[in-house]
Amino acid sequence: MTRGPGAAGDGADAASGVGRAEGAHCVGGTGPAGAGGRAPSSPPPPGAPSGRTGWRAAAERALYGPGGFYHRPEGPAGHFRTSVHASPLYARAVATLLTRVDAALGHPAELALLDVGAGRGELLTGVLDALTTPGQRGAGERSDAGAGDLAARLRPCAVERAQRPAGLDPRVEWRAELPAPGSLTGLLIANEWLDNVPVDVVEVDPDGVPRQVRVAPDGTEELGDPVPPADAAWLADWWPWPGATEAGLEPEPVRDAGPDHGSDAEPVRDAGPEVWAEPGSRAEVGAPRDAAWARAVRSLHAGLAVAVDYAHTRASRPPYGTLTGFRDGREVRPVPDGSCDLTAHVALDACAAAGARAERAGTPVLHTQRDTLRALGLAGRRPPLARASTDPAGYLRALSLAGEAAELTDPAGLGDFRWLCQPVGPVTVADVLPLSLPLPIPPRDGSGPPRAS
């Protein structure tokens, strides 16, 4: 699926994990020539100047720097839309989740709704509308004691570096940075925020050595230095290549074959497979996203933090990465010149491990958007055909909403997004999303977060 034209916000601060990153589902990435991607990069000639930087620095500048993509006059609205923009049903589902979190917390005197990467406040506007419009909250929701005054107790807050948009509901607090750690009780939601937190890209060179990919503003690339130890450790934990070792991702030692093997014998490795990493393999180093998500989770004293994004897990990392660009509703070659969006799928299991280390954090779980929205009352059933003769206008409205629900839950599109739910304090995910089959979060070499149960 590709991003379609629609509305979105702008602004971000990758260093602090604050900003907006609202795009729709995409399939992209890079691969070897003949496989739908770019050919492997080549090292520069010795001593040749390049003027290039790593992808993390290049994307930060291209997206959020002066004249960056999210500061363009037309804004991202002319380039793509998100689930928030696809249908008001999405905001209604979030309103349903908010009421459940409120009940699980015992209806506190003040309930926070924190939208990280809030764009132009569309999601908060939709949730406030759902809470104050009869019949807009999710199907089957009951008015428990204390829930009726939720709108009065609610503290909606947008975290976004862009200017506050004109006409936004005055109840919405607008801030450029995350609140202080442990300062909020309620629901934090980051809808397609993490995919635009800039990360570095790594590629395996012809000798099997993972190197940083350096990129010029016109998108041309070269291979730089071998990955630094911190990035190597993250890759070993979360994006391992076959045969790579944890200590710097160096290949296994090679010894001579010896006379018994003949003069034409290939070198023999002491351990591991003969080919330890395929040249041209690529990865995005997700450590900045882990840090951003952990900082977001820590802002809660009690409640639920939710990250919604297109994602992959350790067991199924894409061999050539997922970095791609979007412009005018179309997927394009990623070029860090400010002319297009730059986005990459999120290693949400790594983010889960980072968030789970926050104080008072419980067990995180992953669900698909399809299953989550259905658990929040978004059924998407077509109205009975008989209603067309008795209530034609109502039938058409219901039919339109059924189509919107189908788009949000399409397993080949938005429905395949992942919802990472991180409880904090007394709340558990089962309190608010009673789904019997959450997706397991694979542990990191036996030391990561526990599998969801």
Side-chain angles (χ1 to χ4, degrees):
M1 300 295 294
T2 57
R3 297 187 178 188
D10 51 28
D13 181 352
S16 63
V18 175
R20 66 118 271 120
E22 297 198 37
H25 183 70
C26 70
V27 174
T30 56
R38 72 164 68 88
S41 305
S42 300
S50 70
R52 295 171 170 86
T53 64
W55 264 106
R56 183 183 180 188
E60 172 69 22
R61 182 174 59 249
L63 294 177
Y64 311 121
F69 177 77
Y70 289 113
H71 296 291
R72 290 169 62 93
E74 76 278 12
H79 298 275
F80 55 79
R81 66 176 184 169
T82 76
S83 294
V84 175
H85 311 106
S87 171
L89 293 174
Y90 189 83
R92 295 181 198 176
V94 173
T96 297
L97 180 60
L98 180 67
T99 63
R100 295 181 184 180
V101 171
D102 182 44
L105 291 169
H107 311 298
E110 181 178 85
L111 184 75
L113 174 58
L114 186 67
D115 184 5
V116 183
R120 293 172 180 167
E122 298 94 338
L123 179 58
L124 291 174
T125 298
V127 171
L128 289 171
D129 181 63
L131 292 174
T132 55
T133 303
Q136 296 299 293
R137 212 178 300 162
E141 293 304 299
R142 294 163 50 182
S143 297
D144 297 327
D149 65 342
L150 174 57
R153 293 183 289 111
L154 188 65
R155 177 189 169 189
C157 178
V159 179
E160 177 58 71
R161 202 165 78 177
Q163 293 285 332
R164 181 188 182 99
L168 184 66
D169 191 307
R171 291 174 290 179
V172 176
E173 177 188 354
W174 195 267
R175 55 183 301 140
E177 299 179 353
L178 286 162
S183 62
L184 299 179
T185 295
L187 174 64
L188 178 153
I189 187 160
N191 183 68
E192 297 187 47
W193 165 51
L194 291 171
D195 67 283
N196 281 136
V197 173
V199 293
D200 277 317
V201 177
V202 170
E203 183 175 311
V204 179
D205 73 10
D207 296 323
V209 178
R211 294 181 177 274
Q212 292 179 309
V213 176
R214 298 172 62 82
V215 62
D218 65 0
T220 58
E221 294 181 338
E222 68 182 22
L223 297 187
D225 295 332
V227 294
D231 288 353
W234 188 92
L235 290 166
D237 282 345
W238 292 110
W239 201 314
W241 286 297
T245 63
E246 185 168 349
L249 289 177
E250 293 295 335
E252 299 291 344
V254 177
R255 58 181 171 83
D256 291 337
D260 293 340
H261 297 280
S263 59
D264 295 330
E266 293 292 327
V268 178
R269 296 187 184 278
D270 286 335
E274 185 65 24
V275 179
W276 71 279
E278 180 183 354
S281 298
R282 289 167 70 105
E284 293 108 24
V285 183
R289 294 170 173 177
D290 299 350
W293 177 243
R295 172 68 181 86
V297 172
R298 286 197 300 270
S299 68
L300 288 178
H301 172 73
L304 183 71
V306 177
V308 184
D309 244 305
Y310 40 94
H312 44 65
T313 58
R314 192 176 188 272
S316 58
R317 300 289 187 227
Y320 303 110
T322 62
L323 179 67
T324 192
F326 275 88
R327 182 190 302 115
D328 299 329
R330 297 188 300 274
E331 187 172 9
V332 298
R333 174 171 168 258
V335 178
D337 62 357
S339 69
C340 66
D341 184 31
L342 299 171
T343 177
H345 292 41
V346 182
L348 272 182
D349 49 351
C351 294
R357 292 191 289 269
E359 186 177 0
R360 296 169 56 83
T363 302
V365 299
L366 282 169
H367 292 291
T368 65
Q369 176 157 299
R370 177 182 177 86
D371 290 341
T372 304
L373 293 184
R374 287 186 168 186
L376 293 171
L378 193 62
R381 300 186 184 92
R382 292 172 63 93
L385 186 59
R387 186 177 175 184
S389 58
T390 60
D391 181 14
Y395 174 80
L396 290 176
R397 286 194 299 270
L399 190 63
S400 176
L401 289 176
E404 293 174 10
E407 180 184 2
L408 289 171
T409 59
D410 180 3
L414 293 171
D416 193 44
F417 273 47
R418 297 296 188 262
W419 284 50
L420 168 59
C421 300
Q422 174 62 69
V424 180
V427 177
T428 69
V429 176
D431 292 335
V432 295
L433 287 173
L435 289 169
S436 58
L437 294 173
L439 300 175
I441 299 175
R444 179 197 62 186
D445 294 341
S447 61
R451 291 181 181 272
S453 58

